[in-house]
């Protein structure tokens, strides 16, 4: 056997020759084999073979096995395409298999993200509709007395919700749904949406309060509390029947107040609870929101309370305090004042044990708190009566004392007469959708209690002089042009009184008053309660 011809092994050949298992002449910049076949050589373009190998690995099912760096990779077929193939996509030739496959595209568009299975498209469209309506229409109805805050409710508040405040976002959608309901009362989707979003907002709001108020959530909690107050007021507009439907509850889902007979008018305590909630949130979070430009502007847009605690007949509503001394004397004597207290009453029932904060049976203390509750409520009415077009009457449910709310719950005639006058003040804002028709319905409802068997046959005659003004205002038909109620009917010239109050107003605005109160009050609850009586379920 002739001796084998000696040869020199190629150990530094190009990758293409190694993949094809042929000897490379190692000529640079292109080896002889690559020149012969008219293909690029990785000596000249070292990145090409790696790209081809990666493309072949992704395209061929034969490449999914246990490949090694020395396994032959697929190569692109760079031959000129036949005429019938012009415009066809490049193909990859798999060495050793005699087949070619389409090359992967140079650009692969990203996969379209799937739609959320938890949010049907109809619901997404509804939410877009509600948010659009809020920013275009609803937010303006909050600022009719303070146009300078429109930008806050229109832009800043939604942005705070988008930043992660779910309770604020749901409250926005709930109020917008209520506003749309006023335009389309038969739309059942809006009815369900208004209840569902408010229920979700209340649940998240309550959970956030339970965790505690801090600098990160104080601002959004204040704004949510304000929207809850708007919602609780607007919900009352949609009640078709103001009478309670049974002994266990009322038409608006709130708990029936004590001593209320079935079928009687039900006082909207949700108003007081929700507006008092705004006050509680403000007190509990004042150390953080006092430096918030958003909250500061909202607070300062409110008219400053200027209360006159004079109790004589010279004030417009001073007559509501007539006979108060006799009523308090009966409380001090340990008797429950009768419905006709005011002239005199020698008999009565034992005083109710329902006292605020466990005050006990100290009748003197109870009488004192009762006096203060009535005097403060009447002082707020006198102030709001002068400039009702500025929304001052809405300060009543937010500022009355807890003792006054107890008196309403106990259905005291004097408290109900004061309440009727408050509702009559809302007539000045009858053109606002969430207050439209409210004065008429509520005043008539309160007066119906005096004309029922609950207080006895003489109560209507006794209290009618104190209810007459409220009835006259409630039944007044406001002209189509929206002109103010004449001064001889209302009892005051709104704009003249506004100028007089402005001349005597102290500097600093509402913000200064809250700042002073926050320094006087100690031991404020850090977590105010969620307003009672608001719907906490989603209606189907």
């Amino acid at each position: 056997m002739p001796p084998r011809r000696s040869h020199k092994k190629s150990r530094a050949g190009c990758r293409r020759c190694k993949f094809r298992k042929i000897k490379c002449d190692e000529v640079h910049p292109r080896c002889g084999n690559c020149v012969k076949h008219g293909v690029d050589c990785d000596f000249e373009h070292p990145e090409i073979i790696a790209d081809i190998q990666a493309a072949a690995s992704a395209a061929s099912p034969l490449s999914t096995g246990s490949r090694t760096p020395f396994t032959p990779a697929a190569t692109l077929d760079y031959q000129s395409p036949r005429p019938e193939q012009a415009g066809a996509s490049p193909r990859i030739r798999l060495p050793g298999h005699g087949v070619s496959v389409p090359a992967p595209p140079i650009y692969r568009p990203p996969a379209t993200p799937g739609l959320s299975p938890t949010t049907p498209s109809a619901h997404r469209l509804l939410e877009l509709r509600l948010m659009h309506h809020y920013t275009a229409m609803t937010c303006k109805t909050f600022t009719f007395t303070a146009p300078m805050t429109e930008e806050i409710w229109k832009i800043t508040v939604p942005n705070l919700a988008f930043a992660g405040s779910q309770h604020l976002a749901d409250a926005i959608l709930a109020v917008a749904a209520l506003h749309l309901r006023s335009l389309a009362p038969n739309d059942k989707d809006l009815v369900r949406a208004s209840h569902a979003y408010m229920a979700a907002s209340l649940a998240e709001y309550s959970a956030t309060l339970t965790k505690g108020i801090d600098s990160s959530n104080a601002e959004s909690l204040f704004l949510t509390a304000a929207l809850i107050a708007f919602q609780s007021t607007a919900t009352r507009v949609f009640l078709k029947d103001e009478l309670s439907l049974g002994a266990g509850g009322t038409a608006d889902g709130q708990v029936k107040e004590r001593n209320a007979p079935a079928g009687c008018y039900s006082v909207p305590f949700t108003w007081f609870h929700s507006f008092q909630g705004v006050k509680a949130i403000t007190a509990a979070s004042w150390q953080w929101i006092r430096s918030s430009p958003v909250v500061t502007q909202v607070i300062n847009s409110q008219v400053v309370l200027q209360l006159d605690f004079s109790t004589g007949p010279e004030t417009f509503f001073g007559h509501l305090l007539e006979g108060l001394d006799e009523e308090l004397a009966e409380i001090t004597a340990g008797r429950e004042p009768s419905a006709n207290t005011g002239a005199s009453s020698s008999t009565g029932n034992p005083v109710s044990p329902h006292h605020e904060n466990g005050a006990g049976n100290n009748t003197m203390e109870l009488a004192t708190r009762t006096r203060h509750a009535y005097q403060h409520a009447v002082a707020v009415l006198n102030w709001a009566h002068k400039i009702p077009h500025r929304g001052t009457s809405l300060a009543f449910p937010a500022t009355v004392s807890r003792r006054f709310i107890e008196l309403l719950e106990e259905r005291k005639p004097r408290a109900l007469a004061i309440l009727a006058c408050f509702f009559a003040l809302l007539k000045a804002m009858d053109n606002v959708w969430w207050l439209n028709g409210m004065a008429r319905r509520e005043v008539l409802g309160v007066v119906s209690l005096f004309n029922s068997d609950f207080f006895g046959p003489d109560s209507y005659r006794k209290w009618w002089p104190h209810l007459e003004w409220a009835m006259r205002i409630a039944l007044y038909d406001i002209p189509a042009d929206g002109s103010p109620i004449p001064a001889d009917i209302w009892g005051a010239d709104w704009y003249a009184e506004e100028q007089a109050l402005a001349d005597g107003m102290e500097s600093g605005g509402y913000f200064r008053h809250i700042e002073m109160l926050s320094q006087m009050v100690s031991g404020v609850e850090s977590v105010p309660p969620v307003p009672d009586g608001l719907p906490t379920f989603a209606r189907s």
Side-chain angles (χ1 to χ4, degrees), residues 258-261 264 339 409-413 416 448-457 459:
R258 68 177 56 81
N259 301 331
C264 287
E409 291 174 342
E410 296 168 3
R411 290 192 171 228
K412 302 301 182 186
L416 290 172
S448 70
L449 296 177
F450 290 89
N451 204 21
S452 65
D453 295 334
F454 182 74
F455 289 134
S459 63

Side-chain angles (χ1 to χ4, degrees), residues 199-408:
S201 177
L202 285 172
E204 184 66 23
Y205 176 74
S206 178
T208 305
L209 287 177
T210 302
K211 296 176 183 176
I213 304 176
D214 54 37
S215 58
S216 65
N217 59 23
E219 200 172 50
S220 61
L221 284 173
F222 170 84
L223 296 169
T224 300
L227 289 176
I228 290 174
F230 284 122
Q231 187 272 347
S232 68
T233 306
T235 299
R236 189 82 169 179
V237 173
F238 300 99
L239 298 180
K240 296 187 180 352
D241 186 358
E242 299 300 330
L243 299 181
S244 94
L245 301 179
T250 62
D252 60 350
Q254 68 185 26
V255 178
K256 191 174 178 62
E257 63 264 28
R258 68 177 56 81
N259 301 331
C264 287
Y265 166 81
S266 177
V267 176
F269 287 105
T270 55
W271 281 32
F272 293 91
H273 296 159
S274 58
F275 276 92
Q276 294 271 325
V278 178
K279 181 172 65 174
I281 282 287
T282 303
S285 59
W286 186 246
Q287 59 178 310
W288 297 291
I289 64 175
R290 65 184 303 273
S291 58
S292 165
V294 175
V295 176
T296 299
Q297 189 170 349
V298 171
I299 291 176
N300 273 334
S301 68
Q302 308 303 309
V303 182
V304 180
L305 281 168
Q306 299 183 63
L307 303 184
D308 181 2
F309 288 96
S310 301
T311 58
E314 67 275 4
T315 61
F316 190 82
F317 291 108
H319 62 87
L320 293 170
L321 298 177
E322 292 177 2
L324 179 59
D325 290 337
E326 291 87 345
E327 180 177 332
L328 298 177
E330 292 192 4
I331 294 178
T332 305
R335 297 191 303 271
E336 180 74 11
S338 68
N340 296 321
T341 298
S344 64
S345 179
S346 58
T347 61
N349 301 319
V351 174
S352 170
H354 177 57
H355 296 163
E356 180 187 52
N357 293 334
N361 295 320
N362 189 331
T363 56
M364 289 294 296
E365 180 184 355
L366 181 62
T368 300
R369 290 191 295 110
T370 301
R371 179 187 296 277
H372 291 167
Y374 282 137
Q375 290 178 346
H376 180 269
V378 171
V380 175
L381 290 183
N382 283 325
W383 167 73
H385 174 256
K386 298 175 181 178
I387 47 174
H389 59 295
R390 293 291 305 277
T392 51
S393 54
L394 295 175
F396 183 84
T399 58
V400 294
S401 66
R402 189 179 303 179
R403 175 57 184 158
F404 181 80
I405 299 176
E406 290 176 1
L407 293 167
L408 284 177

